[in-house]
Amino acid sequence: MDKLTRYREIIRQLIFEYAGHKPANGKIETEAVIDSERDHYEVVHVGWDGVRRVHGSVVHIDIINNKVWIQYDGTSEPVATALLEAGIPREDIVLGFHPAELRQYTDFAIS
């Protein structure tokens, strides 16, 4: 299995795992959104918490130039840690939610 195929499978499994965690409050559904063709992967919350509408990304991962970009991580169990534990090396993980000029200070890829 080539690197990208392996990364896609790891991310897919991770997305389904995070999508399995339903919020404790409100009537909120958790959706796994997977676009394998364009390498976009998301977990989205949709529903209502009382009178407040809930709709938003909880996890957003893209594969760009053979690297795994974490675009958003709104979890209590960090996505980067889960990716590392699944076998994706630090040099192939970009913390896209940090500004480009600050990424050099992380232990992860810059871009």
XYZ file of all heavy atoms in Angstrom:
898
model
N 0.859 -1.178 0.000
C 0.000 0.000 0.000
C 0.905 1.242 0.000
O 1.807 1.364 0.810
C -0.881 -0.040 1.251
C -1.785 1.141 1.404
S -2.806 1.169 2.920
C -3.657 -0.365 2.871
N 0.631 2.147 -0.924
C 1.452 3.357 -0.986
C 1.078 4.316 0.151
O 0.056 4.158 0.808
C 1.344 4.035 -2.358
C 0.029 4.771 -2.573
O -1.012 4.275 -2.110
O 0.047 5.835 -3.203
N 1.937 5.304 0.362
C 1.806 6.236 1.482
C 0.453 6.955 1.490
O -0.224 6.991 2.516
C 2.953 7.239 1.438
C 2.909 8.275 2.532
C 4.163 9.116 2.542
C 3.937 10.447 1.923
N 5.046 11.391 2.141
N 0.045 7.516 0.358
C -1.206 8.283 0.321
C -2.417 7.400 0.582
O -3.346 7.816 1.284
C -1.354 9.012 -1.007
C -0.609 10.335 -1.109
C -0.853 10.984 -2.462
C -1.001 11.283 0.000
N -2.413 6.207 0.042
C -3.525 5.279 0.282
C -3.606 4.959 1.765
O -4.696 4.932 2.356
C -3.343 3.991 -0.543
O -3.276 4.349 -1.925
C -4.482 3.022 -0.315
N -2.458 4.733 2.382
C -2.411 4.439 3.822
C -2.890 5.648 4.624
O -3.703 5.505 5.558
C -0.992 4.065 4.225
C -0.883 3.536 5.638
C 0.484 2.921 5.898
N 1.564 3.868 5.828
C 1.941 4.664 6.829
N 1.325 4.604 7.980
N 2.938 5.505 6.684
N -2.438 6.851 4.273
C -2.879 8.059 4.973
C -4.387 8.251 4.849
O -5.057 8.590 5.821
C -2.155 9.296 4.441
C -0.711 9.426 4.868
C -0.062 8.435 5.603
C 0.020 10.548 4.527
C 1.267 8.563 5.977
C 1.350 10.689 4.911
C 1.963 9.691 5.625
O 3.279 9.836 5.999
N -4.916 8.048 3.661
C -6.369 8.193 3.457
C -7.148 7.230 4.344
O -8.165 7.599 4.925
C -6.717 7.964 1.988
C -6.317 9.099 1.096
C -6.675 8.835 -0.364
N -6.227 9.927 -1.185
C -5.322 9.819 -2.157
N -4.792 8.637 -2.450
N -4.950 10.879 -2.848
N -6.675 6.002 4.432
C -7.368 5.002 5.250
C -7.283 5.363 6.735
O -8.271 5.254 7.455
C -6.798 3.608 4.997
C -7.542 2.507 5.715
C -9.039 2.461 5.428
O -9.471 2.822 4.306
O -9.798 2.062 6.336
N -6.132 5.804 7.194
C -5.978 6.218 8.592
C -6.917 7.383 8.909
O -7.627 7.373 9.922
C -4.512 6.615 8.887
C -3.620 5.371 8.901
C -4.402 7.389 10.206
C -2.129 5.668 8.921
N -6.937 8.378 8.035
C -7.784 9.563 8.251
C -9.255 9.163 8.223
O -10.045 9.613 9.062
C -7.480 10.659 7.214
C -6.063 11.196 7.433
C -8.503 11.785 7.284
C -5.537 12.033 6.280
N -9.630 8.324 7.288
C -11.014 7.852 7.187
C -11.455 7.177 8.488
O -12.512 7.488 9.045
C -11.123 6.892 6.006
C -12.431 6.877 5.306
C -12.321 6.061 4.021
N -12.574 4.649 4.176
C -13.718 4.119 4.565
N -14.726 4.903 4.867
N -13.883 2.832 4.666
N -10.641 6.284 8.996
C -10.961 5.593 10.245
C -11.052 6.581 11.406
O -11.956 6.481 12.241
C -9.910 4.522 10.545
C -9.977 3.344 9.617
C -8.838 2.354 9.848
O -8.010 2.529 10.729
N -8.809 1.313 9.039
N -10.137 7.528 11.435
C -10.129 8.527 12.494
C -11.391 9.404 12.447
O -12.004 9.680 13.478
C -8.875 9.392 12.382
C -8.606 10.350 13.524
C -8.297 9.586 14.801
C -7.444 11.251 13.167
N -11.775 9.809 11.250
C -12.988 10.622 11.092
C -14.207 9.873 11.601
O -15.030 10.418 12.344
C -13.167 11.070 9.617
C -12.113 12.101 9.231
C -14.575 11.596 9.354
C -12.184 13.429 9.964
N -14.327 8.605 11.241
C -15.469 7.811 11.727
C -15.427 7.636 13.240
O -16.464 7.640 13.904
C -15.539 6.458 11.016
C -16.110 6.543 9.632
C -15.391 6.087 8.537
C -17.364 7.087 9.401
C -15.913 6.169 7.253
C -17.896 7.175 8.127
C -17.169 6.710 7.049
N -14.225 7.510 13.797
C -14.094 7.387 15.250
C -14.572 8.665 15.940
O -15.377 8.615 16.873
C -12.640 7.109 15.617
C -12.419 6.921 17.103
C -10.960 6.665 17.433
O -10.290 5.938 16.680
O -10.497 7.222 18.449
N -14.087 9.822 15.479
C -14.521 11.091 16.069
C -16.011 11.332 15.834
O -16.690 11.892 16.695
C -13.704 12.263 15.529
C -12.350 12.422 16.180
C -11.183 12.130 15.492
C -12.233 12.880 17.493
C -9.933 12.274 16.082
C -10.991 13.028 18.098
C -9.852 12.719 17.391
O -8.625 12.868 17.981
N -16.532 10.914 14.697
C -17.956 11.099 14.396
C -18.837 10.222 15.286
O -20.030 10.481 15.424
C -18.233 10.811 12.926
N -18.251 9.230 15.898
C -18.997 8.362 16.805
C -19.243 8.972 18.172
O -19.998 8.443 18.973
N -18.619 10.113 18.450
C -18.793 10.793 19.730
C -19.910 11.816 19.610
O -19.741 12.863 19.004
C -17.496 11.505 20.153
C -16.345 10.574 20.330
N -16.073 9.943 21.511
C -15.399 10.151 19.455
C -15.013 9.178 21.369
N -14.583 9.284 20.119
N -21.063 11.506 20.176
C -22.218 12.400 20.121
C -22.175 13.370 21.298
O -21.887 12.972 22.417
C -23.494 11.559 20.163
C -24.753 12.347 19.942
C -25.933 11.398 19.790
C -27.258 12.096 19.785
N -27.458 13.073 18.781
N -22.446 14.654 21.038
C -22.475 15.633 22.129
C -23.499 15.257 23.197
O -24.573 14.726 22.877
C -22.870 16.936 21.443
C -22.501 16.739 20.013
C -22.700 15.279 19.750
N -23.179 15.539 24.459
C -24.059 15.190 25.578
C -25.290 16.090 25.639
O -26.347 15.663 26.095
C -23.283 15.285 26.888
N -25.150 17.333 25.194
C -26.255 18.289 25.278
C -26.968 18.422 23.946
O -26.366 18.281 22.896
C -25.738 19.666 25.711
C -25.102 19.629 27.075
O -25.518 18.871 27.936
N -24.075 20.427 27.268
N -28.243 18.748 24.024
C -29.013 19.076 22.832
C -29.329 17.893 21.941
O -29.002 16.750 22.239
N -29.990 18.230 20.856
C -30.326 17.243 19.820
C -29.398 17.504 18.649
O -29.777 18.156 17.675
C -31.797 17.383 19.423
C -32.748 17.025 20.534
C -34.187 17.136 20.098
C -35.082 16.764 21.269
N -36.499 16.859 20.920
N -28.188 17.002 18.780
C -27.136 17.297 17.816
C -26.653 16.001 17.179
O -26.309 15.049 17.885
C -25.961 18.033 18.496
C -26.460 19.337 19.132
C -24.837 18.294 17.502
C -25.474 19.994 20.058
N -26.657 15.983 15.873
C -26.145 14.846 15.109
C -24.684 15.109 14.752
O -24.278 16.254 14.551
C -26.954 14.640 13.831
C -28.399 14.266 14.078
C -28.552 12.970 14.851
O -27.803 12.009 14.554
O -29.403 12.931 15.753
N -23.931 14.051 14.680
C -22.529 14.148 14.286
C -22.386 13.462 12.935
O -22.780 12.312 12.776
C -21.618 13.464 15.329
O -21.889 14.035 16.602
C -20.170 13.653 14.997
N -21.849 14.184 11.963
C -21.727 13.666 10.604
C -20.266 13.545 10.187
O -19.468 14.446 10.455
C -22.434 14.590 9.609
C -23.911 14.745 9.857
C -24.572 15.697 8.887
O -23.872 16.296 8.027
O -25.802 15.868 8.989
N -19.939 12.443 9.540
C -18.626 12.265 8.919
C -18.765 12.693 7.466
O -19.637 12.200 6.751
C -18.185 10.808 9.004
N -17.952 13.628 7.027
C -17.975 14.114 5.651
C -16.636 13.741 5.023
O -15.595 14.251 5.447
C -18.211 15.641 5.592
C -18.254 16.119 4.152
C -19.478 16.025 6.348
N -16.680 12.856 4.037
C -15.450 12.346 3.438
C -15.491 12.534 1.934
O -16.380 12.019 1.261
C -15.251 10.860 3.793
C -15.066 10.734 5.308
C -14.083 10.261 3.031
C -14.972 9.323 5.811
N -14.532 13.294 1.431
C -14.366 13.488 -0.011
C -12.982 12.942 -0.369
O -11.996 13.682 -0.396
C -14.491 14.964 -0.362
C -14.323 15.253 -1.842
O -13.996 14.317 -2.615
O -14.496 16.419 -2.237
N -12.918 11.639 -0.602
C -11.640 10.979 -0.895
C -11.038 11.427 -2.215
O -9.820 11.420 -2.379
C -11.828 9.460 -0.931
O -12.308 9.002 0.302
N -11.878 11.828 -3.141
C -11.394 12.264 -4.454
C -10.583 13.554 -4.356
O -9.586 13.734 -5.039
C -12.581 12.458 -5.399
C -12.194 12.730 -6.816
C -13.414 12.790 -7.731
O -14.278 11.907 -7.628
O -13.489 13.750 -8.526
N -11.016 14.470 -3.474
C -10.332 15.756 -3.322
C -9.549 15.849 -2.011
O -9.000 16.877 -1.680
C -11.346 16.894 -3.401
C -11.937 17.021 -4.796
C -13.074 18.030 -4.815
N -13.839 17.946 -6.027
C -14.824 17.082 -6.266
N -15.173 16.203 -5.342
N -15.466 17.073 -7.406
N -9.551 14.747 -1.244
C -8.817 14.642 0.022
C -9.233 15.677 1.067
O -8.405 16.344 1.675
C -7.297 14.693 -0.213
C -6.770 13.384 -0.772
O -7.280 12.316 -0.376
O -5.851 13.428 -1.593
N -10.555 15.783 1.282
C -11.119 16.619 2.340
C -11.893 15.709 3.291
O -12.705 14.890 2.839
C -12.080 17.675 1.785
C -11.462 18.599 0.787
N -10.449 19.474 1.102
C -11.730 18.784 -0.523
C -10.114 20.161 0.016
N -10.879 19.753 -0.982
N -11.661 15.875 4.593
C -12.283 15.010 5.599
C -12.722 15.869 6.766
O -11.934 16.667 7.277
C -11.270 13.960 6.079
C -10.634 13.189 4.940
C -9.514 13.686 4.282
C -11.169 11.989 4.513
C -8.938 13.001 3.226
C -10.597 11.284 3.456
C -9.483 11.801 2.815
O -8.915 11.123 1.763
N -13.987 15.691 7.197
C -14.517 16.527 8.281
C -15.473 15.761 9.170
O -16.137 14.830 8.730
C -15.287 17.720 7.708
C -14.477 18.977 7.592
C -15.341 20.174 7.246
O -15.622 20.383 6.071
O -15.708 20.907 8.196
N -15.556 16.220 10.413
C -16.624 15.820 11.329
C -17.388 17.105 11.625
O -16.788 18.124 11.987
C -16.073 15.220 12.640
C -17.210 14.927 13.608
C -15.270 13.961 12.353
N -18.717 17.051 11.440
C -19.557 18.233 11.581
C -20.675 17.942 12.581
O -21.251 16.852 12.580
C -20.173 18.616 10.209
C -21.090 19.814 10.326
C -19.082 18.870 9.192
N -20.981 18.922 13.430
C -22.142 18.845 14.320
C -23.284 19.641 13.697
O -23.071 20.775 13.237
C -21.824 19.432 15.692
C -21.010 18.528 16.549
N -20.465 18.928 17.738
C -20.649 17.226 16.408
C -19.816 17.922 18.291
N -19.892 16.887 17.492
N -24.480 19.035 13.708
C -25.662 19.681 13.145
C -26.847 19.402 14.069
O -27.107 18.251 14.418
C -25.991 19.131 11.734
C -27.240 19.790 11.178
C -24.821 19.304 10.790
N -27.551 20.453 14.467
C -28.740 20.246 15.287
C -29.071 21.455 16.132
O -28.758 22.588 15.758
N -29.693 21.184 17.285
C -30.147 22.248 18.178
C -29.745 21.939 19.610
O -29.830 20.800 20.056
C -31.665 22.390 18.115
C -32.146 22.903 16.799
C -32.505 22.166 15.706
C -32.293 24.258 16.426
N -32.869 22.992 14.681
C -32.752 24.288 15.095
C -32.087 25.464 17.088
C -33.001 25.470 14.414
C -32.350 26.640 16.410
C -32.801 26.635 15.094
N -29.325 22.971 20.316
C -29.084 22.899 21.751
C -30.038 23.909 22.370
O -29.738 25.104 22.451
C -27.625 23.224 22.074
C -27.288 23.026 23.542
O -28.147 22.510 24.288
O -26.166 23.389 23.946
N -31.200 23.426 22.735
C -32.273 24.319 23.187
C -32.742 25.157 22.012
O -33.136 24.621 20.979
N -32.649 26.484 22.127
C -33.059 27.380 21.044
C -31.878 27.798 20.166
O -32.036 28.562 19.220
C -33.764 28.647 21.595
C -35.064 28.268 22.297
C -32.847 29.439 22.514
N -30.696 27.296 20.489
C -29.481 27.672 19.753
C -29.193 26.660 18.656
O -29.098 25.461 18.895
C -28.294 27.732 20.718
C -27.019 28.249 20.096
C -25.885 28.361 21.118
N -25.411 27.074 21.585
C -24.453 26.359 20.987
N -23.890 26.803 19.896
N -24.068 25.203 21.484
N -29.054 27.141 17.431
C -28.707 26.297 16.289
C -27.233 25.938 16.369
O -26.377 26.792 16.631
C -28.984 27.040 14.968
C -28.630 26.263 13.727
C -29.523 25.078 13.538
N -29.238 24.440 12.240
C -29.549 23.203 11.967
N -30.160 22.454 12.864
N -29.274 22.680 10.799
N -26.944 24.670 16.147
C -25.565 24.180 16.148
C -25.255 23.667 14.752
O -25.978 22.828 14.212
C -25.375 23.044 17.181
C -23.984 22.450 17.083
C -25.674 23.544 18.581
N -24.224 24.215 14.160
C -23.752 23.739 12.861
C -22.302 24.158 12.720
O -22.001 25.344 12.662
C -24.572 24.317 11.705
C -24.127 23.787 10.387
N -23.108 24.352 9.658
C -24.530 22.705 9.693
C -22.918 23.658 8.557
N -23.760 22.645 8.556
N -21.420 23.192 12.710
C -20.023 23.563 12.560
C -19.092 22.379 12.567
O -19.427 21.282 12.996
N -17.920 22.647 12.096
C -16.874 21.650 11.999
C -16.267 21.377 13.371
O -16.023 22.298 14.146
C -15.789 22.158 11.040
O -14.785 21.204 10.888
N -16.024 20.112 13.641
C -15.356 19.709 14.869
C -13.923 19.285 14.531
O -12.998 19.564 15.277
C -16.105 18.544 15.546
C -15.405 18.100 16.817
C -17.538 18.920 15.825
N -13.774 18.622 13.402
C -12.472 18.210 12.888
C -12.465 18.461 11.389
O -13.444 18.145 10.706
C -12.201 16.700 13.142
C -10.905 16.253 12.483
C -12.187 16.383 14.614
N -11.360 19.019 10.888
C -11.206 19.218 9.443
C -9.769 18.861 9.086
O -8.825 19.466 9.599
C -11.509 20.660 9.070
C -11.376 20.941 7.604
N -11.685 22.166 7.071
C -10.968 20.189 6.556
C -11.464 22.140 5.767
N -11.017 20.947 5.441
N -9.625 17.866 8.220
C -8.312 17.406 7.767
C -8.301 17.401 6.245
O -9.267 16.964 5.615
C -8.012 15.976 8.276
C -8.060 15.912 9.802
C -6.663 15.486 7.749
C -7.991 14.499 10.366
N -7.216 17.860 5.652
C -7.005 17.782 4.204
C -5.667 17.096 3.951
O -4.762 17.164 4.780
C -6.943 19.173 3.568
C -8.261 19.914 3.602
O -9.326 19.265 3.527
O -8.234 21.154 3.708
N -5.542 16.482 2.797
C -4.238 16.027 2.334
C -3.838 16.974 1.216
O -4.551 17.101 0.221
C -4.258 14.568 1.841
C -4.627 13.624 2.984
C -2.886 14.190 1.262
C -4.756 12.167 2.577
N -2.709 17.671 1.424
C -2.212 18.652 0.457
C -0.735 18.360 0.221
O 0.051 18.317 1.182
C -2.379 20.101 0.989
C -3.840 20.389 1.333
C -1.835 21.107 -0.017
C -4.058 21.690 2.093
N -0.368 18.164 -1.036
C 1.035 17.895 -1.394
C 1.649 16.776 -0.551
O 2.744 16.915 -0.005
C 1.882 19.166 -1.295
C 1.435 20.229 -2.263
O 0.994 19.922 -3.370
N 1.522 21.479 -1.865
N 0.894 15.685 -0.428
C 1.353 14.481 0.288
C 1.537 14.665 1.794
O 2.181 13.861 2.440
C 2.646 13.932 -0.318
C 2.457 13.487 -1.745
O 1.427 12.911 -2.086
N 3.436 13.757 -2.589
N 0.991 15.734 2.340
C 1.050 15.957 3.785
C -0.367 16.039 4.341
O -1.300 16.454 3.655
C 1.804 17.242 4.111
C 3.225 17.198 3.592
C 4.175 17.792 4.530
C 5.541 17.661 3.872
N 6.601 17.937 4.703
N -0.502 15.661 5.599
C -1.795 15.693 6.282
C -1.906 17.032 7.007
O -1.136 17.309 7.929
C -1.910 14.519 7.278
C -3.225 14.594 8.034
C -1.773 13.188 6.552
N -2.838 17.857 6.547
C -3.058 19.182 7.126
C -4.242 19.124 8.083
O -5.365 18.811 7.665
C -3.369 20.199 6.028
C -2.172 20.634 5.259
C -1.403 19.887 4.416
C -1.600 21.941 5.254
N -0.398 20.642 3.893
C -0.491 21.913 4.390
C -1.927 23.134 5.899
C 0.294 23.031 4.150
C -1.153 24.251 5.664
C -0.044 24.189 4.798
N -3.994 19.428 9.341
C -5.087 19.563 10.300
C -5.536 21.021 10.215
O -4.841 21.921 10.686
C -4.648 19.195 11.731
C -4.091 17.771 11.767
C -5.821 19.366 12.700
C -3.436 17.407 13.087
N -6.671 21.240 9.574
C -7.174 22.600 9.372
C -7.912 23.127 10.599
O -7.907 24.323 10.870
C -8.102 22.646 8.154
C -7.476 22.139 6.874
C -6.425 23.075 6.297
O -5.901 23.964 6.960
N -6.087 22.870 5.045
N -8.560 22.193 11.318
C -9.283 22.581 12.524
C -9.352 21.379 13.450
O -9.593 20.258 13.005
C -10.698 23.072 12.193
C -11.448 23.543 13.413
C -11.152 24.768 13.997
C -12.421 22.752 14.004
C -11.811 25.189 15.144
C -13.088 23.171 15.152
C -12.777 24.386 15.711
O -13.415 24.809 16.846
N -9.146 21.619 14.738
C -9.250 20.570 15.739
C -10.003 21.120 16.938
O -9.452 21.861 17.749
C -7.855 20.090 16.153
C -7.893 18.946 17.163
O -9.000 18.569 17.607
O -6.819 18.446 17.520
N -11.269 20.778 17.031
C -12.106 21.225 18.142
C -12.419 20.083 19.092
O -13.487 20.041 19.693
N -11.489 19.144 19.230
C -11.712 17.959 20.046
C -10.998 18.058 21.388
O -10.090 18.868 21.566
C -11.193 16.694 19.331
O -9.772 16.747 19.264
C -11.774 16.573 17.938
N -11.366 17.189 22.301
C -10.657 17.095 23.577
C -9.541 16.053 23.492
O -8.689 15.995 24.370
C -11.630 16.740 24.704
O -12.277 15.521 24.415
N -9.571 15.238 22.447
C -8.517 14.257 22.189
C -7.826 14.702 20.905
O -8.343 14.493 19.818
C -9.117 12.869 22.027
C -9.897 12.401 23.240
C -10.691 11.143 22.976
O -10.386 10.412 22.020
O -11.634 10.902 23.735
N -6.647 15.343 21.004
C -6.023 15.984 19.842
C -5.848 15.079 18.629
O -5.386 13.939 18.736
C -4.665 16.440 20.379
C -4.873 16.579 21.848
C -5.846 15.495 22.214
N -6.216 15.606 17.488
C -6.118 14.891 16.223
C -4.663 14.562 15.896
O -4.363 13.457 15.442
C -6.770 15.719 15.083
C -6.527 15.091 13.737
C -8.262 15.890 15.342
N -3.746 15.482 16.135
C -2.331 15.241 15.826
C -1.812 14.024 16.577
O -1.096 13.187 16.009
C -1.491 16.469 16.144
N -2.181 13.897 17.831
C -1.756 12.743 18.627
C -2.314 11.455 18.041
O -1.595 10.457 17.920
C -2.212 12.905 20.091
O -1.662 14.113 20.614
C -1.786 11.730 20.939
N -3.575 11.472 17.664
C -4.196 10.282 17.071
C -3.514 9.901 15.756
O -3.300 8.710 15.478
C -5.685 10.516 16.852
N -3.156 10.904 14.943
C -2.463 10.623 13.679
C -1.088 10.020 13.936
O -0.680 9.063 13.257
C -2.336 11.899 12.846
C -3.637 12.475 12.294
C -3.391 13.856 11.702
C -4.252 11.549 11.259
N -0.370 10.555 14.906
C 0.947 10.010 15.268
C 0.815 8.564 15.735
O 1.582 7.692 15.310
C 1.596 10.849 16.364
C 2.108 12.225 15.964
C 2.469 13.035 17.199
C 3.294 12.101 15.030
N -0.144 8.304 16.606
C -0.351 6.955 17.132
C -0.741 5.969 16.037
O -0.446 4.785 16.134
C -1.403 6.971 18.238
C -0.912 7.637 19.500
C -1.989 7.825 20.550
O -3.176 7.534 20.284
O -1.638 8.284 21.656
N -1.378 6.480 14.983
C -1.787 5.625 13.863
C -0.648 5.384 12.872
O -0.800 4.617 11.926
C -2.986 6.242 13.149
N 0.480 6.074 13.066
C 1.640 5.810 12.227
C 2.018 6.879 11.219
O 2.926 6.676 10.412
N 1.366 8.029 11.252
C 1.747 9.113 10.349
C 2.865 9.908 11.028
O 2.697 10.384 12.152
C 0.550 10.017 10.003
C -0.513 9.186 9.260
C 1.004 11.211 9.155
C -1.767 9.938 8.902
N 4.020 10.047 10.378
C 5.149 10.722 11.014
C 4.941 12.238 11.133
O 4.236 12.855 10.336
C 6.329 10.413 10.087
C 5.726 10.068 8.779
C 4.361 9.518 9.055
N 5.587 12.824 12.141
C 5.487 14.268 12.403
C 5.791 15.112 11.171
O 5.174 16.146 10.952
C 6.471 14.679 13.500
C 6.093 14.267 14.855
C 7.102 14.773 15.894
N 6.744 14.262 17.195
C 5.790 14.795 17.959
N 5.127 15.837 17.549
N 5.508 14.264 19.129
N 6.785 14.676 10.392
C 7.196 15.470 9.234
C 6.155 15.481 8.120
O 6.279 16.235 7.158
C 8.559 15.018 8.698
C 8.615 13.578 8.260
C 9.032 12.609 9.363
O 9.041 12.979 10.557
O 9.318 11.460 9.012
N 5.096 14.676 8.250
C 4.010 14.670 7.269
C 2.711 15.234 7.825
O 1.662 15.133 7.200
C 3.781 13.255 6.734
C 4.823 12.830 5.726
O 5.622 13.685 5.288
O 4.852 11.636 5.362
N 2.761 15.819 9.019
C 1.579 16.430 9.641
C 1.821 17.930 9.756
O 2.826 18.370 10.308
C 1.306 15.837 11.039
C 1.040 14.330 10.945
C 0.132 16.563 11.705
C 0.947 13.636 12.296
N 0.889 18.716 9.220
C 0.962 20.185 9.291
C -0.189 20.673 10.161
O -1.341 20.298 9.940
C 0.867 20.823 7.883
C 0.896 22.340 7.977
C 1.953 20.297 6.967
N 0.131 21.488 11.143
C -0.901 22.101 11.987
C -1.375 23.367 11.282
O -0.926 24.472 11.563
C -0.348 22.406 13.377
C 0.238 21.199 14.135
C 0.754 21.638 15.501
C -0.761 20.068 14.256
N -2.277 23.178 10.328
C -2.743 24.271 9.477
C -3.499 25.353 10.217
O -3.678 26.451 9.699
N -3.940 25.068 11.441
C -4.663 26.073 12.222
C -3.720 27.076 12.881
O -4.167 28.053 13.464
C -5.572 25.415 13.276
C -4.885 24.417 14.163
C -4.180 24.823 15.273
C -4.957 23.058 13.866
C -3.556 23.899 16.095
C -4.345 22.125 14.674
C -3.642 22.540 15.792
N -2.404 26.829 12.791
C -1.417 27.809 13.261
C -0.974 28.677 12.081
O -0.833 28.171 10.963
C -0.170 27.122 13.831
C -0.365 26.497 15.175
N -0.928 27.157 16.243
C -0.064 25.259 15.629
C -0.958 26.365 17.287
N -0.449 25.200 16.945
N -0.714 29.956 12.301
C -0.190 30.797 11.223
C 1.137 30.228 10.708
O 1.921 29.655 11.472
C 0.025 32.157 11.888
C -0.800 32.127 13.129
C -0.885 30.700 13.557
N 1.389 30.411 9.418
C 2.595 29.861 8.781
C 3.869 30.264 9.524
O 4.777 29.445 9.696
C 2.662 30.306 7.329
N 3.949 31.502 9.994
C 5.176 31.965 10.650
C 5.395 31.328 12.030
O 6.504 31.368 12.563
C 5.211 33.495 10.759
C 4.105 34.114 11.575
C 2.832 34.407 10.806
O 2.717 34.016 9.625
O 1.928 35.026 11.395
N 4.363 30.717 12.609
C 4.516 30.071 13.919
C 4.752 28.563 13.826
O 5.172 27.944 14.801
C 3.285 30.342 14.785
C 3.031 31.798 15.160
C 1.813 31.912 16.054
C 4.249 32.394 15.840
N 4.492 27.976 12.667
C 4.618 26.521 12.534
C 6.034 26.023 12.754
O 6.242 24.883 13.163
C 4.124 26.072 11.162
C 2.639 26.184 11.035
C 2.149 25.567 9.741
N 0.912 26.229 9.395
C 0.605 26.694 8.214
N 1.427 26.533 7.194
N -0.541 27.299 8.012
N 7.022 26.871 12.515
C 8.417 26.469 12.709
C 8.714 26.144 14.179
O 9.671 25.444 14.479
C 9.366 27.560 12.223
C 9.248 28.864 13.008
C 10.129 29.953 12.456
O 11.235 29.689 12.054
N 9.599 31.174 12.426
N 7.883 26.622 15.078
C 8.099 26.388 16.507
C 7.374 25.143 17.027
O 7.477 24.830 18.209
C 7.663 27.620 17.316
C 8.383 28.872 16.885
C 7.703 29.908 16.259
C 9.758 28.995 17.059
C 8.359 31.062 15.845
C 10.432 30.141 16.636
C 9.729 31.151 16.036
O 10.384 32.287 15.620
N 6.645 24.457 16.145
C 6.002 23.204 16.538
C 6.923 22.055 16.191
O 7.920 22.233 15.485
C 4.654 23.019 15.803
O 4.897 22.735 14.430
C 3.756 24.234 15.954
N 6.612 20.882 16.643
C 7.389 19.687 16.322
C 6.865 19.027 15.043
O 7.193 17.871 14.771
C 7.323 18.678 17.467
C 8.119 19.121 18.681
O 9.069 19.909 18.513
O 7.797 18.665 19.786
N 6.072 19.758 14.278
C 5.438 19.202 13.090
C 5.933 19.907 11.826
O 6.693 20.877 11.908
C 3.916 19.302 13.207
C 3.361 18.454 14.325
C 3.166 18.989 15.592
C 3.069 17.121 14.119
C 2.671 18.218 16.633
C 2.575 16.328 15.146
C 2.380 16.881 16.402
N 5.468 19.442 10.680
C 5.880 20.023 9.386
C 5.407 21.479 9.299
O 4.413 21.874 9.898
C 5.289 19.216 8.239
N 6.133 22.258 8.506
C 5.797 23.670 8.316
C 4.757 23.820 7.212
O 3.830 24.598 7.304
C 7.072 24.493 7.990
C 7.993 24.459 9.196
C 6.722 25.917 7.609
C 9.364 25.049 8.950
N 4.936 23.062 6.144
C 3.953 23.042 5.040
C 4.237 21.888 4.127
O 5.174 21.159 4.287
C 3.962 24.346 4.256
O 5.200 24.539 3.620
